[in-house]
């Protein structure tokens, strides 16, 4: 997809795209000249508004949020077609709405079988302050909505590349240009991570995942990728990662991505992602229904790779390290058995009472290693528990932190990114539930319920005292977010939290 910024003094492309909205302007009605606040449907281009007045009168255009009305061959100032995208109440405009409106604009172009659209932003961006945010959101929405995963089909889609011109008088403002570029980079990296997630287990093994990270980082300045193989993982005493990997013939990998954008002396930010390229549950095998979805069990890792790429491409002035422990969880003859005890890198021992609770085991080593790096903070992302899907479904990502400053940063970052997050409980009682009988810890809770909190409590045992840490359980939001977001495919990986993680990094600049 090609997207560019243009000033309003240009000729429109093949399809002219404008917005309708409901204004709450005070109107004077009737002879009594009483004032009413009935909403009025407005279009953001005066001549187009006159041109389409009958459609507004007939209520074919209502201004409802995300309404798409298309006119083929109607003609307007050189454009062949017109598409009107509804924005809802004028007073409720926000950047997330522009992401969704962008997906509508792409839909409109598709249904008009048109390849070029000019989107008219005059009169909806009220002031210069809104312009960067709205333009960035629209750009992200367009690119995220255009993502398709068809590389494994023998017949690829033959559709021509679409091109969009975003028309605004602020087109040459430095901060608008910068935000536009941010939108491009963010959505490209999100789409990159979505592809990693969508690839099936046989084509996205730990070895391939590591190679993809290396390939993608090539040529990006200040970004270095190091990959540890099985021998090195053993040498580094990563008993959790190693223990999970023994059930498979695929070798595990430990991926380290380092970005140096800040002063040498500045402590790094650490992102950790679960890179389980296929989880059959191991000896505690999962039921076969929907087991194929467990190719997505590396989405935490994929999204941390995406976060690192985005941070480096955006040249943020921070030092950041991304850690991705990666393995398969299979049930081969050497697989970890229920009751087996392994030792994590920080010396803590754990009984594996359910081999399907493997994410926390591979993360234990990564969090221990992150702790050794003395970071300013550690944030991890993992498709960790089915319990999270039950608690929050596919709308909100649940996060756990006992650090109030982290909580504030996360809430602020999510506000900026438009992604929905929910703070979940983590209590000393949850920690008690994870005590082992024969080893320090058990990998499953001795208590009932709260499976996501007890999993978080397990992870906490590997984070150094005093290091601000937050854990994001993306089991419900990592893929198949359904019809929740029109710019994200119903099935398939979502790339969730990359945008929020980048915002978190920005808050440390
Ligand atoms: N990868 C799964 C969690 C998962 C399940 C993510 C469904 C998305 C959808 C994880 O490794 C797992 O199997 N966890 C177990 C833990 C349990 C045995 C304590 C679970 O949640 O059932
Ligand atoms: Zn599992
Ligand atoms: Zn898993």
């Amino acid at each position: 997809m090609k997207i560019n910024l243009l000033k309003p003094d240009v000729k429109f492309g093949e399809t002219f795209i404008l917005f309708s909205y409901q204004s709450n302007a005070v109107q004077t009605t009737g002879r009594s000249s009483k004032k009413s606040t009935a909403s009025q449907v407005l279009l953001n281009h005066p001549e187009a508004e006159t041109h389409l007045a009958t459609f507004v009168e007939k209520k074919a255009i209502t201004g409802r949020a995300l309404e798409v009305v298309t006119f083929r061959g109607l003609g307007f100032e050189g454009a062949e077609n017109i598409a009107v995208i509804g924005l809802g109440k004028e007073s409720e405009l926000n950047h997330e709405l522009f992401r969704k409106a962008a997906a509508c604009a792409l839909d409109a172009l598709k249904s008009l079988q048109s390849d070029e659209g000019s989107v008219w932003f005059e009169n909806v961006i009220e002031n210069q302050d809104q312009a960067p945010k709205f333009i960035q959101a629209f750009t992200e929405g367009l690119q995220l909505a255009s993502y398709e995963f068809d590389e494994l089909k023998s017949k690829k889609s033959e559709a021509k590349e679409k091109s969009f011109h975003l028309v605004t008088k602020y087109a040459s403002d430095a901060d608008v240009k910068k935000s536009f570029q941010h939108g491009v980079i963010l959505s490209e990296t999100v789409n990159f991570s979505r592809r990693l997630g969508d690839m099936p287990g046989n084509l996205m093994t730990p070895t391939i995942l590591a190679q993809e990270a290396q390939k993608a980082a090539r040529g990006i300045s200040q970004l270095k990728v190091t990959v540890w193989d099985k021998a090195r993982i053993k040498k580094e005493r990563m008993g959790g990662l190693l223990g999970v990997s023994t059930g498979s013939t695929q070798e595990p990998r430990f991926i380290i991505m380092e970005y140096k954008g800040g002063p040498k002396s500045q402590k790094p930010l650490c992102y950790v992602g679960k890179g389980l390229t296929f989880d059959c549950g191991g000896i505690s095998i999962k039921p076969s229904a929907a087991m194929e979805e467990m190719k997505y069990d590396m989405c935490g890792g994929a999204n941390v790779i995406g976060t690192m790429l985005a941070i480096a491409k955006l040249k943020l002035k921070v030092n950041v390290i991304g850690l991705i422990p990666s393995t398969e969880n299979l049930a081969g003859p050497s697989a970890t058995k229920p009751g087996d005890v392994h030792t994590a890198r920080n010396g803590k021992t754990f009984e594996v009472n359910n081999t399907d609770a493997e994410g926390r085991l591979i993360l234990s080593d990564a969090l221990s290693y992150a702790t050794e790096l003395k970071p300013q903070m550690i944030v991890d992302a993992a498709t960790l528990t089915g319990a999270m899907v039950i608690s929050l479904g596919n709308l909100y990502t649940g996060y756990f932190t006992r650090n109030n400053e982290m909580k504030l940063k996360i809430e602020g970052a999510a506000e900026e990114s438009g992604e929905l997050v929910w703070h979940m409980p983590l209590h000393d009682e949850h920690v008690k539930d994870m005590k082992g009988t024969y080893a320090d810890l058990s990998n499953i809770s001795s208590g009932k319920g709260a499976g996501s909190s007890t999993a978080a409590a397990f992870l906490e045992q590997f984070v150094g005292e005093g290091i601000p840490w937050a854990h994001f359980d993306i089991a419900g939001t990592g893929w198949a977010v359904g019809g929740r977001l029109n710019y994200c495919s119903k099935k398939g990986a979502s790339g969730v939290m990359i945008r929020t993680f980048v915002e978190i990094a920005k808050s440390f600049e």
Side-chain angles (χ1 to χ4, degrees):
M1 174 174 292
K2 280 192 223 138
I3 313 175
N4 64 351
L5 290 171
L6 285 180
K7 288 226 174 180
D9 50 5
V10 292
K11 272 224 158 318
F12 298 141
E14 194 177 30
T15 299
F16 177 57
I17 302 171
L18 72 159
F19 299 106
S20 62
Y21 51 92
Q22 298 161 344
S23 156
N24 271 336
V26 179
Q27 288 175 298
T28 312
T29 50
R31 271 174 295 167
S32 62
S33 74
K34 263 194 186 159
K35 283 186 176 168
S36 93
T37 51
S39 78
Q40 194 189 353
V41 180
L42 297 177
L43 268 56
N44 69 325
H45 188 290
E47 284 82 41
E49 190 171 49
T50 312
H51 196 52
L52 299 173
T54 54
F55 299 98
V56 175
E57 266 161 43
K58 286 182 195 156
K59 297 200 170 26
I61 299 172
T62 69
R64 246 186 305 116
L66 310 185
E67 171 184 84
V68 180
V69 187
T70 54
F71 301 93
R72 203 170 185 168
L74 190 64
F76 182 71
E77 302 213 357
E80 229 175 283
N81 317 304
I82 306 180
V84 187
I85 313 295
L87 289 178
K89 293 204 178 79
E90 190 186 15
S91 55
E92 291 172 13
L93 279 189
N94 61 62
H95 61 88
E96 180 61 5
L97 193 66
F98 277 100
R99 255 176 225 103
K100 293 178 178 163
C104 293
L106 181 61
D107 276 348
L109 227 58
K110 282 182 185 165
S111 76
L112 289 163
Q113 290 175 314
S114 166
D115 299 318
E116 188 193 19
S118 298
V119 191
W120 186 257
F121 278 97
E122 300 304 280
N123 304 319
V124 285
I125 300 178
E126 279 293 304
N127 52 58
Q128 218 161 344
D129 294 347
Q130 285 178 335
K133 199 81 201 146
F134 286 2
I135 291 288
Q136 177 176 339
F138 199 86
T139 307
E140 287 172 11
L142 279 179
Q143 291 213 124
L144 293 173
S146 74
Y147 172 81
E148 272 175 63
F149 181 69
D150 62 359
E151 69 185 87
L152 302 178
K153 299 213 170 129
S154 55
K155 272 208 180 105
K156 313 272 184 279
S157 123
E158 277 163 21
K160 238 181 90 184
E161 188 184 27
K162 303 255 182 273
S163 108
F164 281 90
H165 314 294
L166 313 187
V167 185
T168 163
K169 61 174 162 296
Y170 304 118
S172 48
D173 286 15
D175 47 356
V176 170
K177 288 205 289 202
K178 187 176 164 196
S179 294
F180 168 69
Q181 208 46 45
H182 276 214
V184 170
I185 289 173
L186 273 175
S187 46
E188 273 176 4
T189 46
V190 170
N191 286 348
F192 171 86
S193 294
R194 288 164 83 184
R195 177 188 166 271
L196 297 181
D198 284 335
M199 285 297 262
N202 65 323
L203 302 176
M204 193 48 64
T205 60
T207 310
I208 300 173
L209 184 67
Q211 285 165 351
E212 290 284 347
Q214 281 171 319
K215 206 166 74 186
R218 221 165 279 155
I220 302 180
S221 73
Q222 305 300 328
L223 182 64
K224 189 179 115 193
V225 181
T226 310
V227 177
W228 289 353
D229 63 4
K230 188 172 184 164
R232 181 71 190 264
I233 289 167
K234 207 173 192 168
K235 204 168 144 214
E236 296 287 343
R237 309 176 323 281
M238 295 189 153
L241 177 56
L242 205 63
V244 174
S245 75
T246 54
S248 165
T249 49
Q250 287 293 335
E251 274 211 11
R253 290 288 182 264
F254 190 73
I255 308 166
I256 304 168
M257 300 178 80
E258 285 168 274
Y259 167 68
K260 292 205 166 80
K264 256 207 174 107
S265 57
Q266 188 193 70
K267 290 205 245 165
L269 310 175
C270 235
Y271 291 96
V272 175
K274 172 177 173 182
L276 220 296
T277 59
F278 190 80
D279 179 14
C280 87
I283 299 293
S284 319
I285 199 160
K286 286 181 181 295
S288 53
M291 201 205 267
E292 72 282 358
E293 291 192 4
M294 283 298 116
K295 69 172 184 178
Y296 291 114
D297 214 14
M298 35 61 76
C299 283
N303 297 358
V304 165
I305 295 173
T307 300
M308 292 303 299
L309 295 173
I311 289 173
K313 284 186 182 182
L314 293 170
K315 300 185 170 37
L316 298 192
K317 292 184 182 58
V318 278
N319 296 328
V320 193
I321 299 179
L323 303 172
I324 302 103
S326 182
T327 175
E328 288 187 335
N329 184 27
L330 295 186
S334 306
T336 290
K337 303 167 290 299
D340 284 1
V341 173
H342 292 303
T343 308
R345 184 179 168 88
N346 72 348
K348 289 197 182 172
T349 59
F350 46 73
E351 301 156 31
V352 182
N353 289 318
N354 187 321
T355 64
D356 197 12
E358 84 300 334
R360 59 198 76 183
L361 307 185
I362 70 169
L363 291 170
S364 71
D365 293 320
L367 293 170
S368 304
Y369 183 70
T371 294
E372 292 164 32
L373 301 170
K374 298 191 170 43
Q376 290 190 68
M377 61 136 220
I378 303 175
V379 162
D380 76 70
T383 48
L384 203 64
T385 63
M388 182 52 78
V389 191
I390 305 295
S391 356
L392 294 186
N394 59 9
L395 187 58
Y396 281 81
T397 295
Y399 74 92
F400 301 78
T401 185
R402 297 216 228 186
N403 181 300
N404 208 37
E405 251 174 71
M406 280 303 286
K407 182 173 175 244
L408 291 174
K409 273 194 188 293
I410 290 163
E411 296 288 338
E415 196 69 44
E416 287 296 309
S417 73
E419 295 185 303
L420 297 174
V421 296
W422 197 259
H423 188 223
M424 299 286 291
L426 173 52
H427 196 277
D428 284 346
E429 291 298 324
H430 296 130
V431 177
K432 279 192 205 156
D433 290 344
M434 300 308 287
K435 286 240 175 313
T437 310
Y438 308 101
D440 300 338
L441 296 161
S442 164
N443 79 330
I444 54 170
S445 168
S446 56
K448 252 171 100 183
S452 307
S453 294
T454 51
F458 184 93
L459 296 183
E460 195 183 41
Q461 303 317 301
F462 302 91
V463 178
E465 283 270 330
I467 300 175
W469 164 71
H471 154 62
F472 289 71
D473 193 334
I474 60 166
T477 51
W479 76 94
V481 291
R484 301 291 195 198
L485 301 171
N486 65 344
Y487 53 81
C488 191
S489 30
K490 283 196 172 60
K491 294 179 176 176
S494 63
V496 76
M497 289 302 122
I498 296 177
R499 283 161 30 212
T500 303
F501 284 3
V502 171
E503 285 298 334
I504 293 175
K506 277 189 192 170
S507 73
F508 281 89
E509 266 188 317

